[in-house]
Amino acid sequence: MIKVAAIPSKGKDLRVFIDFPHDLHRDDPYYVPELFMAQRDLLNPAKHPFFEHGRMQLFLAYKDGKLSGRVAAIFNGNHNTFNKSNDGFFGFFDCVDDQEVANALLQAAEGWLRDQGLSTMIGPVNPSTNEACGLLVDGFDSAPMILMPYNPPYYKKLLEQYGLAKQVDLVAYALYDTDLGDKPVRLQEALTARLATKGITIRPFDLKHNFKRELEQFGKVYNAAWDKNMGFVPMTKAEFDFMGKDMKLIADTDFCLAAEHNGEVVGIALCLPDINQVLKKIKRGRLFPTGVFHFLLGRKKINALRILALGVLEPYRKMGIEACFYATIMKKGREKGFNMAEASWMLEHNDLMNRAIEHMHGVRYKTYRIFDKQLS
């Protein structure tokens, strides 16, 4: 017998919701537990600014009295306003390999979305495309990078047999230091000089002394440079502030770059050390009492980066700014002992960016899928 219960975003039920994947995937060598505190805040309407324009209902599924799955049904007001749509979403999907359980969970999410008057069911997003999103459908032979999702292969079957179909694929590229060569770094000086003649400079973000201003500049470019991407949702100032405080704890300013023209930021590159290499060792995502020592000591051994965002305002594209960003990241990465970077995620049909990364010998090594289903 399967029972699906709607739960509040607080207290014991929320802890059960957050902890379920730890038990489900405890024998999977590539599973990385999310930090408990971060997940608790992300799902808490009193803490996370997503809830200033969104709503969410969490569900837990029990089969014969045993916890067997979880899912969230999500309304994203900013998405629908910006895209002039009436979309609903699901996310935080985790389930045992049982189609009946998966169906019951997804039916509960679909029912909630219908009650909100929404026309589609899209996901998984956790809780939007500005956070971890997509279902891993290819590349199960390694752990996910920071802020990227992970799931076992059977999830794809569960979603498809429920009636969800592919909307779009998101691609992750691996850039290995041994394959990159020295050409980008050799060209960097000439490109930098050429940009300087146009009044454009590349510099690291000053997160120590001008954090608020830098975050504001980052937000302006992010919302403008990605606004034509499928599924894009502009982030609010409160969301940028929330994100920035979290990322500041792990960011390395050598990999947080700005292209500036006449005092205004016109391009950004944000790379983060792959803290997942450390989180794998933190049991159930708890920093305390002992996890914090793994966190602090393990950071020095990280050898991979994720290129999380790299974008330039439209009037400044194809001037060499992007190449300078990559060259700077490559040079600093080698100096600091990083031997691999992941560029993610890219829309499968973003030919310009995909060709550019492949030209640098980037290898498509993971694919994530967004599914959808019409509700009316």
Side-chain angles (χ1 to χ4, degrees), residues 327-342:
T328 302
I329 293 164
M330 187 187 307
K331 183 177 179 181
K332 288 294 183 180
R334 285 173 171 170
E335 289 175 2
K336 295 193 169 188
F338 293 95
N339 56 36
M340 182 265 193
E342 176 182 294

Side-chain angles (χ1 to χ4, degrees), residues 207 246-254 256 270-273 299:
L207 301 182
D246 282 349
M247 290 191 177
K248 189 178 181 182
L249 297 174
I250 55 175
D252 182 332
T253 53
D254 282 335
C256 303
L270 173 63
C271 303
L272 294 176
R299 292 176 62 179

Side-chain angles (χ1 to χ4, degrees), residues 213-224 235 240 268:
R213 180 183 180 278
E214 298 286 54
L215 196 60
E216 181 181 352
Q217 292 279 310
F218 179 93
K220 287 180 179 178
V221 175
Y222 179 86
N223 280 342
M235 292 179 67
F240 274 115
I268 55 172

Side-chain angles (χ1 to χ4, degrees), residues 39 65 102 130 135 165 173 181 237 267 269-271 273 278 295 308 332 347:
Q39 287 286 284
N130 291 318
L135 189 89
Y173 285 91
K237 182 180 183 302
L270 173 63
C271 303
V278 179
F295 185 82
L308 185 68
K332 288 294 183 180
L347 286 165

